[in-house]
Amino acid sequence: MFKLLSAIILTELLTELVVKSEIFRPIRERLGKTGAFFQSLLSCGYCFSVWAAAGVVVLLGVSYPLSGQLLVDYLLSGLIVHRLANYLHNFNDKWLDKYYDIRFTNSIKSE
């Protein structure tokens, strides 16, 4: 269960980092010029999280015996991690990010 939870959190974290952060902006711009696939992949959190989940599942060895075939089990486990990471992302966007958004705090007074 710990590996699954770690995979979900790591997938959401990597997706946010690559798709939205300033650190990865030059990489997104450079790869975006190589073709429509990379441009779409690096600008769409939902799209990128599929690939992030696939990598995380393989690296952490999060595979559940769902079909009896190892490769199919990794594929299905990756899709499950992808979907659960999207739920975590939606929760963060709708509830937790408001806590840090200056529009919802009183720490900065508008004049």
mmCIF file of all heavy atoms in Angstrom, residues 1-19 24 45 48-62 78 80-89 92:
data_model
loop_
_atom_site.group_PDB
_atom_site.id
_atom_site.type_symbol
_atom_site.label_atom_id
_atom_site.label_comp_id
_atom_site.label_asym_id
_atom_site.label_seq_id
_atom_site.Cartn_x
_atom_site.Cartn_y
_atom_site.Cartn_z
ATOM 1 N N MET A 1 0.824 -1.195 0.000
ATOM 2 C CA MET A 1 0.000 0.000 0.000
ATOM 3 C C MET A 1 0.877 1.272 0.000
ATOM 4 O O MET A 1 0.518 2.249 -0.628
ATOM 5 C CB MET A 1 -0.924 -0.041 1.214
ATOM 6 C CG MET A 1 -1.915 1.084 1.225
ATOM 7 S SD MET A 1 -2.969 1.045 -0.217
ATOM 8 C CE MET A 1 -4.527 1.116 0.512
ATOM 9 N N PHE A 2 2.016 1.197 0.717
ATOM 10 C CA PHE A 2 2.906 2.351 0.758
ATOM 11 C C PHE A 2 3.475 2.660 -0.626
ATOM 12 O O PHE A 2 3.590 3.825 -1.005
ATOM 13 C CB PHE A 2 4.032 2.120 1.769
ATOM 14 C CG PHE A 2 5.007 3.260 1.835
ATOM 15 C CD1 PHE A 2 4.660 4.442 2.456
ATOM 16 C CD2 PHE A 2 6.258 3.160 1.249
ATOM 17 C CE1 PHE A 2 5.546 5.505 2.511
ATOM 18 C CE2 PHE A 2 7.145 4.211 1.287
ATOM 19 C CZ PHE A 2 6.787 5.393 1.927
ATOM 20 N N LYS A 3 3.832 1.624 -1.378
ATOM 21 C CA LYS A 3 4.357 1.839 -2.728
ATOM 22 C C LYS A 3 3.311 2.479 -3.630
ATOM 23 O O LYS A 3 3.623 3.355 -4.430
ATOM 24 C CB LYS A 3 4.829 0.527 -3.343
ATOM 25 C CG LYS A 3 6.213 0.122 -2.968
ATOM 26 C CD LYS A 3 6.641 -1.062 -3.797
ATOM 27 C CE LYS A 3 8.069 -1.428 -3.511
ATOM 28 N NZ LYS A 3 8.532 -2.528 -4.358
ATOM 29 N N LEU A 4 2.077 2.042 -3.515
ATOM 30 C CA LEU A 4 1.007 2.619 -4.330
ATOM 31 C C LEU A 4 0.811 4.090 -3.998
ATOM 32 O O LEU A 4 0.740 4.931 -4.890
ATOM 33 C CB LEU A 4 -0.304 1.847 -4.131
ATOM 34 C CG LEU A 4 -1.512 2.389 -4.883
ATOM 35 C CD1 LEU A 4 -1.294 2.309 -6.389
ATOM 36 C CD2 LEU A 4 -2.772 1.648 -4.472
ATOM 37 N N LEU A 5 0.744 4.412 -2.714
ATOM 38 C CA LEU A 5 0.579 5.802 -2.300
ATOM 39 C C LEU A 5 1.770 6.648 -2.749
ATOM 40 O O LEU A 5 1.601 7.772 -3.231
ATOM 41 C CB LEU A 5 0.396 5.876 -0.782
ATOM 42 C CG LEU A 5 0.075 7.234 -0.205
ATOM 43 C CD1 LEU A 5 -1.213 7.789 -0.800
ATOM 44 C CD2 LEU A 5 -0.046 7.138 1.305
ATOM 45 N N SER A 6 2.971 6.106 -2.614
ATOM 46 C CA SER A 6 4.173 6.821 -3.068
ATOM 47 C C SER A 6 4.127 7.061 -4.571
ATOM 48 O O SER A 6 4.495 8.137 -5.044
ATOM 49 C CB SER A 6 5.430 6.024 -2.719
ATOM 50 O OG SER A 6 5.558 5.882 -1.337
ATOM 51 N N ALA A 7 3.683 6.067 -5.322
ATOM 52 C CA ALA A 7 3.604 6.201 -6.780
ATOM 53 C C ALA A 7 2.595 7.276 -7.175
ATOM 54 O O ALA A 7 2.844 8.056 -8.098
ATOM 55 C CB ALA A 7 3.232 4.863 -7.410
ATOM 56 N N ILE A 8 1.475 7.329 -6.491
ATOM 57 C CA ILE A 8 0.449 8.332 -6.783
ATOM 58 C C ILE A 8 0.989 9.734 -6.513
ATOM 59 O O ILE A 8 0.880 10.633 -7.360
ATOM 60 C CB ILE A 8 -0.813 8.056 -5.954
ATOM 61 C CG1 ILE A 8 -1.479 6.761 -6.411
ATOM 62 C CG2 ILE A 8 -1.794 9.228 -6.039
ATOM 63 C CD1 ILE A 8 -2.514 6.232 -5.441
ATOM 64 N N ILE A 9 1.583 9.924 -5.352
ATOM 65 C CA ILE A 9 2.103 11.246 -4.983
ATOM 66 C C ILE A 9 3.247 11.652 -5.911
ATOM 67 O O ILE A 9 3.306 12.793 -6.382
ATOM 68 C CB ILE A 9 2.545 11.256 -3.510
ATOM 69 C CG1 ILE A 9 1.318 11.113 -2.610
ATOM 70 C CG2 ILE A 9 3.316 12.522 -3.178
ATOM 71 C CD1 ILE A 9 1.641 10.859 -1.152
ATOM 72 N N LEU A 10 4.135 10.733 -6.206
ATOM 73 C CA LEU A 10 5.269 11.035 -7.083
ATOM 74 C C LEU A 10 4.818 11.361 -8.503
ATOM 75 O O LEU A 10 5.350 12.272 -9.140
ATOM 76 C CB LEU A 10 6.248 9.863 -7.087
ATOM 77 C CG LEU A 10 7.582 10.080 -7.778
ATOM 78 C CD1 LEU A 10 8.311 11.283 -7.198
ATOM 79 C CD2 LEU A 10 8.442 8.840 -7.628
ATOM 80 N N THR A 11 3.821 10.649 -8.988
ATOM 81 C CA THR A 11 3.287 10.937 -10.326
ATOM 82 C C THR A 11 2.687 12.328 -10.375
ATOM 83 O O THR A 11 2.948 13.096 -11.313
ATOM 84 C CB THR A 11 2.229 9.881 -10.718
ATOM 85 O OG1 THR A 11 2.857 8.608 -10.773
ATOM 86 C CG2 THR A 11 1.616 10.200 -12.064
ATOM 87 N N GLU A 12 1.920 12.701 -9.379
ATOM 88 C CA GLU A 12 1.310 14.037 -9.347
ATOM 89 C C GLU A 12 2.385 15.104 -9.234
ATOM 90 O O GLU A 12 2.349 16.121 -9.924
ATOM 91 C CB GLU A 12 0.320 14.127 -8.179
ATOM 92 C CG GLU A 12 -0.707 15.223 -8.336
ATOM 93 C CD GLU A 12 -0.223 16.592 -7.925
ATOM 94 O OE1 GLU A 12 0.677 16.686 -7.073
ATOM 95 O OE2 GLU A 12 -0.732 17.591 -8.453
ATOM 96 N N LEU A 13 3.390 14.859 -8.402
ATOM 97 C CA LEU A 13 4.468 15.814 -8.210
ATOM 98 C C LEU A 13 5.268 16.019 -9.498
ATOM 99 O O LEU A 13 5.529 17.152 -9.896
ATOM 100 C CB LEU A 13 5.396 15.320 -7.093
ATOM 101 C CG LEU A 13 6.638 16.151 -6.885
ATOM 102 C CD1 LEU A 13 6.581 16.789 -5.514
ATOM 103 C CD2 LEU A 13 7.862 15.288 -7.028
ATOM 104 N N LEU A 14 5.650 14.942 -10.150
ATOM 105 C CA LEU A 14 6.411 15.051 -11.397
ATOM 106 C C LEU A 14 5.608 15.754 -12.493
ATOM 107 O O LEU A 14 6.151 16.565 -13.248
ATOM 108 C CB LEU A 14 6.837 13.670 -11.881
ATOM 109 C CG LEU A 14 7.950 12.988 -11.101
ATOM 110 C CD1 LEU A 14 8.128 11.556 -11.567
ATOM 111 C CD2 LEU A 14 9.241 13.762 -11.239
ATOM 112 N N THR A 15 4.329 15.448 -12.557
ATOM 113 C CA THR A 15 3.477 16.079 -13.562
ATOM 114 C C THR A 15 3.411 17.585 -13.355
ATOM 115 O O THR A 15 3.598 18.361 -14.297
ATOM 116 C CB THR A 15 2.068 15.463 -13.526
ATOM 117 O OG1 THR A 15 2.175 14.067 -13.785
ATOM 118 C CG2 THR A 15 1.155 16.116 -14.542
ATOM 119 N N GLU A 16 3.159 18.007 -12.125
ATOM 120 C CA GLU A 16 3.104 19.444 -11.830
ATOM 121 C C GLU A 16 4.443 20.109 -12.114
ATOM 122 O O GLU A 16 4.497 21.203 -12.678
ATOM 123 C CB GLU A 16 2.716 19.671 -10.366
ATOM 124 C CG GLU A 16 1.271 19.392 -10.077
ATOM 125 C CD GLU A 16 0.363 20.426 -10.691
ATOM 126 O OE1 GLU A 16 0.512 21.628 -10.396
ATOM 127 O OE2 GLU A 16 -0.503 20.033 -11.477
ATOM 128 N N LEU A 17 5.514 19.458 -11.723
ATOM 129 C CA LEU A 17 6.846 20.028 -11.895
ATOM 130 C C LEU A 17 7.188 20.219 -13.369
ATOM 131 O O LEU A 17 7.634 21.292 -13.782
ATOM 132 C CB LEU A 17 7.884 19.113 -11.230
ATOM 133 C CG LEU A 17 9.302 19.630 -11.139
ATOM 134 C CD1 LEU A 17 9.354 20.868 -10.264
ATOM 135 C CD2 LEU A 17 10.206 18.552 -10.573
ATOM 136 N N VAL A 18 6.938 19.233 -14.179
ATOM 137 C CA VAL A 18 7.310 19.310 -15.599
ATOM 138 C C VAL A 18 6.366 20.218 -16.377
ATOM 139 O O VAL A 18 6.809 21.022 -17.192
ATOM 140 C CB VAL A 18 7.361 17.896 -16.227
ATOM 141 C CG1 VAL A 18 7.509 17.968 -17.730
ATOM 142 C CG2 VAL A 18 8.489 17.089 -15.613
ATOM 143 N N VAL A 19 5.069 20.140 -16.117
ATOM 144 C CA VAL A 19 4.090 20.863 -16.923
ATOM 145 C C VAL A 19 3.957 22.335 -16.522
ATOM 146 O O VAL A 19 3.738 23.185 -17.377
ATOM 147 C CB VAL A 19 2.713 20.154 -16.864
ATOM 148 C CG1 VAL A 19 1.626 20.959 -17.540
ATOM 149 C CG2 VAL A 19 2.817 18.785 -17.496
ATOM 150 N N PHE A 24 11.349 23.964 -15.690
ATOM 151 C CA PHE A 24 11.252 23.133 -16.884
ATOM 152 C C PHE A 24 10.765 23.908 -18.110
ATOM 153 O O PHE A 24 10.629 23.327 -19.177
ATOM 154 C CB PHE A 24 10.320 21.936 -16.630
ATOM 155 C CG PHE A 24 10.996 20.811 -15.918
ATOM 156 C CD1 PHE A 24 11.009 20.753 -14.537
ATOM 157 C CD2 PHE A 24 11.639 19.818 -16.628
ATOM 158 C CE1 PHE A 24 11.639 19.725 -13.871
ATOM 159 C CE2 PHE A 24 12.274 18.784 -15.976
ATOM 160 C CZ PHE A 24 12.273 18.735 -14.591
ATOM 161 N N GLY A 45 -1.256 18.347 -18.499
ATOM 162 C CA GLY A 45 -0.967 17.569 -17.303
ATOM 163 C C GLY A 45 -1.571 16.180 -17.341
ATOM 164 O O GLY A 45 -0.973 15.209 -16.882
ATOM 165 N N PHE A 48 0.642 14.105 -19.756
ATOM 166 C CA PHE A 48 1.962 13.815 -19.206
ATOM 167 C C PHE A 48 1.887 12.832 -18.050
ATOM 168 O O PHE A 48 2.777 12.000 -17.875
ATOM 169 C CB PHE A 48 2.663 15.100 -18.755
ATOM 170 C CG PHE A 48 4.076 14.865 -18.328
ATOM 171 C CD1 PHE A 48 5.082 14.768 -19.277
ATOM 172 C CD2 PHE A 48 4.395 14.711 -16.994
ATOM 173 C CE1 PHE A 48 6.387 14.520 -18.892
ATOM 174 C CE2 PHE A 48 5.697 14.458 -16.602
ATOM 175 C CZ PHE A 48 6.690 14.367 -17.550
ATOM 176 N N SER A 49 0.809 12.882 -17.265
ATOM 177 C CA SER A 49 0.727 12.007 -16.097
ATOM 178 C C SER A 49 0.627 10.532 -16.482
ATOM 179 O O SER A 49 1.009 9.664 -15.698
ATOM 180 C CB SER A 49 -0.433 12.407 -15.182
ATOM 181 O OG SER A 49 -1.678 12.097 -15.755
ATOM 182 N N VAL A 50 0.129 10.239 -17.682
ATOM 183 C CA VAL A 50 0.117 8.843 -18.139
ATOM 184 C C VAL A 50 1.548 8.321 -18.235
ATOM 185 O O VAL A 50 1.869 7.239 -17.736
ATOM 186 C CB VAL A 50 -0.588 8.713 -19.511
ATOM 187 C CG1 VAL A 50 -0.428 7.317 -20.074
ATOM 188 C CG2 VAL A 50 -2.047 9.087 -19.402
ATOM 189 N N TRP A 51 2.409 9.110 -18.845
ATOM 190 C CA TRP A 51 3.805 8.695 -19.031
ATOM 191 C C TRP A 51 4.571 8.757 -17.722
ATOM 192 O O TRP A 51 5.431 7.903 -17.464
ATOM 193 C CB TRP A 51 4.463 9.556 -20.104
ATOM 194 C CG TRP A 51 3.797 9.348 -21.419
ATOM 195 C CD1 TRP A 51 2.866 10.164 -22.003
ATOM 196 C CD2 TRP A 51 3.947 8.235 -22.285
ATOM 197 N NE1 TRP A 51 2.449 9.618 -23.188
ATOM 198 C CE2 TRP A 51 3.092 8.426 -23.385
ATOM 199 C CE3 TRP A 51 4.725 7.080 -22.251
ATOM 200 C CZ2 TRP A 51 3.001 7.519 -24.435
ATOM 201 C CZ3 TRP A 51 4.634 6.179 -23.295
ATOM 202 C CH2 TRP A 51 3.782 6.405 -24.369
ATOM 203 N N ALA A 52 4.281 9.751 -16.900
ATOM 204 C CA ALA A 52 4.929 9.829 -15.586
ATOM 205 C C ALA A 52 4.559 8.623 -14.742
ATOM 206 O O ALA A 52 5.411 8.019 -14.083
ATOM 207 C CB ALA A 52 4.536 11.126 -14.885
ATOM 208 N N ALA A 53 3.280 8.250 -14.755
ATOM 209 C CA ALA A 53 2.830 7.083 -13.992
ATOM 210 C C ALA A 53 3.497 5.813 -14.499
ATOM 211 O O ALA A 53 3.902 4.951 -13.701
ATOM 212 C CB ALA A 53 1.313 6.951 -14.062
ATOM 213 N N ALA A 54 3.644 5.683 -15.804
ATOM 214 C CA ALA A 54 4.298 4.496 -16.365
ATOM 215 C C ALA A 54 5.736 4.389 -15.860
ATOM 216 O O ALA A 54 6.176 3.312 -15.444
ATOM 217 C CB ALA A 54 4.270 4.551 -17.891
ATOM 218 N N GLY A 55 6.450 5.495 -15.874
ATOM 219 C CA GLY A 55 7.828 5.487 -15.385
ATOM 220 C C GLY A 55 7.926 5.216 -13.900
ATOM 221 O O GLY A 55 8.769 4.430 -13.448
ATOM 222 N N VAL A 56 7.063 5.833 -13.127
ATOM 223 C CA VAL A 56 7.072 5.654 -11.676
ATOM 224 C C VAL A 56 6.734 4.214 -11.304
ATOM 225 O O VAL A 56 7.366 3.617 -10.429
ATOM 226 C CB VAL A 56 6.103 6.651 -11.002
ATOM 227 C CG1 VAL A 56 5.854 6.293 -9.555
ATOM 228 C CG2 VAL A 56 6.649 8.067 -11.105
ATOM 229 N N VAL A 57 5.746 3.644 -11.980
ATOM 230 C CA VAL A 57 5.351 2.257 -11.697
ATOM 231 C C VAL A 57 6.511 1.303 -11.967
ATOM 232 O O VAL A 57 6.778 0.399 -11.167
ATOM 233 C CB VAL A 57 4.097 1.886 -12.525
ATOM 234 C CG1 VAL A 57 3.910 0.390 -12.619
ATOM 235 C CG2 VAL A 57 2.864 2.535 -11.923
ATOM 236 N N VAL A 58 7.211 1.515 -13.050
ATOM 237 C CA VAL A 58 8.345 0.643 -13.376
ATOM 238 C C VAL A 58 9.483 0.861 -12.377
ATOM 239 O O VAL A 58 10.063 -0.102 -11.861
ATOM 240 C CB VAL A 58 8.819 0.877 -14.823
ATOM 241 C CG1 VAL A 58 10.137 0.177 -15.095
ATOM 242 C CG2 VAL A 58 7.750 0.405 -15.795
ATOM 243 N N LEU A 59 9.807 2.129 -12.078
ATOM 244 C CA LEU A 59 10.919 2.411 -11.166
ATOM 245 C C LEU A 59 10.659 1.905 -9.754
ATOM 246 O O LEU A 59 11.567 1.410 -9.087
ATOM 247 C CB LEU A 59 11.206 3.914 -11.135
ATOM 248 C CG LEU A 59 11.883 4.475 -12.373
ATOM 249 C CD1 LEU A 59 11.997 5.992 -12.288
ATOM 250 C CD2 LEU A 59 13.258 3.867 -12.559
ATOM 251 N N LEU A 60 9.430 2.050 -9.276
ATOM 252 C CA LEU A 60 9.108 1.594 -7.920
ATOM 253 C C LEU A 60 8.691 0.135 -7.864
ATOM 254 O O LEU A 60 8.555 -0.429 -6.785
ATOM 255 C CB LEU A 60 7.994 2.465 -7.319
ATOM 256 C CG LEU A 60 8.323 3.929 -7.058
ATOM 257 C CD1 LEU A 60 7.126 4.636 -6.431
ATOM 258 C CD2 LEU A 60 9.542 4.071 -6.164
ATOM 259 N N GLY A 61 8.462 -0.467 -9.013
ATOM 260 C CA GLY A 61 8.036 -1.859 -9.032
ATOM 261 C C GLY A 61 6.628 -2.052 -8.508
ATOM 262 O O GLY A 61 6.324 -3.031 -7.837
ATOM 263 N N VAL A 62 5.754 -1.100 -8.824
ATOM 264 C CA VAL A 62 4.361 -1.167 -8.372
ATOM 265 C C VAL A 62 3.560 -1.911 -9.437
ATOM 266 O O VAL A 62 3.063 -1.332 -10.386
ATOM 267 C CB VAL A 62 3.775 0.245 -8.158
ATOM 268 C CG1 VAL A 62 2.331 0.165 -7.712
ATOM 269 C CG2 VAL A 62 4.602 1.022 -7.165
ATOM 270 N N GLY A 78 -0.062 1.119 -14.026
ATOM 271 C CA GLY A 78 0.272 2.486 -14.423
ATOM 272 C C GLY A 78 -0.968 3.320 -14.685
ATOM 273 O O GLY A 78 -1.037 4.490 -14.299
ATOM 274 N N ILE A 80 -3.911 2.837 -13.337
ATOM 275 C CA ILE A 80 -4.550 3.074 -12.038
ATOM 276 C C ILE A 80 -3.836 4.199 -11.297
ATOM 277 O O ILE A 80 -4.480 5.108 -10.757
ATOM 278 C CB ILE A 80 -4.563 1.776 -11.206
ATOM 279 C CG1 ILE A 80 -5.531 0.767 -11.822
ATOM 280 C CG2 ILE A 80 -4.924 2.058 -9.751
ATOM 281 C CD1 ILE A 80 -5.422 -0.627 -11.258
ATOM 282 N N VAL A 81 -2.515 4.183 -11.289
ATOM 283 C CA VAL A 81 -1.746 5.243 -10.633
ATOM 284 C C VAL A 81 -2.008 6.577 -11.317
ATOM 285 O O VAL A 81 -2.184 7.609 -10.656
ATOM 286 C CB VAL A 81 -0.238 4.897 -10.615
ATOM 287 C CG1 VAL A 81 0.606 6.103 -10.229
ATOM 288 C CG2 VAL A 81 0.015 3.739 -9.669
ATOM 289 N N HIS A 82 -2.048 6.575 -12.642
ATOM 290 C CA HIS A 82 -2.359 7.798 -13.399
ATOM 291 C C HIS A 82 -3.698 8.385 -12.967
ATOM 292 O O HIS A 82 -3.810 9.572 -12.679
ATOM 293 C CB HIS A 82 -2.357 7.482 -14.895
ATOM 294 C CG HIS A 82 -3.203 8.362 -15.737
ATOM 295 N ND1 HIS A 82 -2.884 9.669 -15.999
ATOM 296 C CD2 HIS A 82 -4.369 8.123 -16.373
ATOM 297 C CE1 HIS A 82 -3.815 10.201 -16.773
ATOM 298 N NE2 HIS A 82 -4.727 9.272 -17.007
ATOM 299 N N ARG A 83 -4.731 7.552 -12.916
ATOM 300 C CA ARG A 83 -6.071 8.035 -12.568
ATOM 301 C C ARG A 83 -6.109 8.550 -11.134
ATOM 302 O O ARG A 83 -6.671 9.620 -10.860
ATOM 303 C CB ARG A 83 -7.088 6.911 -12.761
ATOM 304 C CG ARG A 83 -8.482 7.258 -12.299
ATOM 305 C CD ARG A 83 -9.014 8.531 -12.874
ATOM 306 N NE ARG A 83 -9.358 8.361 -14.248
ATOM 307 C CZ ARG A 83 -9.656 9.376 -15.057
ATOM 308 N NH1 ARG A 83 -9.645 10.605 -14.625
ATOM 309 N NH2 ARG A 83 -9.962 9.162 -16.301
ATOM 310 N N LEU A 84 -5.514 7.839 -10.200
ATOM 311 C CA LEU A 84 -5.529 8.271 -8.801
ATOM 312 C C LEU A 84 -4.700 9.543 -8.611
ATOM 313 O O LEU A 84 -5.057 10.407 -7.801
ATOM 314 C CB LEU A 84 -5.042 7.146 -7.894
ATOM 315 C CG LEU A 84 -5.975 5.931 -7.841
ATOM 316 C CD1 LEU A 84 -5.331 4.802 -7.035
ATOM 317 C CD2 LEU A 84 -7.333 6.298 -7.271
ATOM 318 N N ALA A 85 -3.617 9.678 -9.366
ATOM 319 C CA ALA A 85 -2.823 10.912 -9.307
ATOM 320 C C ALA A 85 -3.630 12.090 -9.833
ATOM 321 O O ALA A 85 -3.500 13.216 -9.340
ATOM 322 C CB ALA A 85 -1.527 10.750 -10.098
ATOM 323 N N ASN A 86 -4.492 11.854 -10.816
ATOM 324 C CA ASN A 86 -5.348 12.925 -11.313
ATOM 325 C C ASN A 86 -6.369 13.353 -10.267
ATOM 326 O O ASN A 86 -6.695 14.536 -10.154
ATOM 327 C CB ASN A 86 -6.059 12.502 -12.600
ATOM 328 C CG ASN A 86 -5.138 12.576 -13.779
ATOM 329 O OD1 ASN A 86 -4.376 13.514 -13.927
ATOM 330 N ND2 ASN A 86 -5.179 11.566 -14.616
ATOM 331 N N TYR A 87 -6.890 12.406 -9.503
ATOM 332 C CA TYR A 87 -7.795 12.769 -8.408
ATOM 333 C C TYR A 87 -7.066 13.607 -7.363
ATOM 334 O O TYR A 87 -7.599 14.593 -6.864
ATOM 335 C CB TYR A 87 -8.397 11.528 -7.751
ATOM 336 C CG TYR A 87 -9.426 10.823 -8.588
ATOM 337 C CD1 TYR A 87 -9.410 9.449 -8.727
ATOM 338 C CD2 TYR A 87 -10.424 11.525 -9.256
ATOM 339 C CE1 TYR A 87 -10.349 8.785 -9.502
ATOM 340 C CE2 TYR A 87 -11.362 10.879 -10.038
ATOM 341 C CZ TYR A 87 -11.323 9.513 -10.152
ATOM 342 O OH TYR A 87 -12.251 8.874 -10.917
ATOM 343 N N LEU A 88 -5.837 13.227 -7.048
ATOM 344 C CA LEU A 88 -5.034 14.010 -6.114
ATOM 345 C C LEU A 88 -4.780 15.408 -6.667
ATOM 346 O O LEU A 88 -4.875 16.403 -5.949
ATOM 347 C CB LEU A 88 -3.712 13.296 -5.823
ATOM 348 C CG LEU A 88 -2.738 14.013 -4.903
ATOM 349 C CD1 LEU A 88 -3.358 14.229 -3.523
ATOM 350 C CD2 LEU A 88 -1.446 13.225 -4.796
ATOM 351 N N HIS A 89 -4.480 15.494 -7.948
ATOM 352 C CA HIS A 89 -4.248 16.785 -8.589
ATOM 353 C C HIS A 89 -5.500 17.667 -8.511
ATOM 354 O O HIS A 89 -5.427 18.850 -8.193
ATOM 355 C CB HIS A 89 -3.828 16.593 -10.042
ATOM 356 C CG HIS A 89 -3.801 17.866 -10.811
ATOM 357 N ND1 HIS A 89 -2.788 18.784 -10.678
ATOM 358 C CD2 HIS A 89 -4.672 18.393 -11.696
ATOM 359 C CE1 HIS A 89 -3.039 19.822 -11.457
ATOM 360 N NE2 HIS A 89 -4.177 19.601 -12.090
ATOM 361 N N ASN A 92 -5.901 18.990 -5.062
ATOM 362 C CA ASN A 92 -4.939 20.064 -4.818
ATOM 363 C C ASN A 92 -5.364 21.354 -5.498
ATOM 364 O O ASN A 92 -5.295 22.428 -4.904
ATOM 365 C CB ASN A 92 -3.548 19.673 -5.306
ATOM 366 C CG ASN A 92 -2.856 18.707 -4.400
ATOM 367 O OD1 ASN A 92 -3.213 18.560 -3.242
ATOM 368 N ND2 ASN A 92 -1.870 18.020 -4.923
#
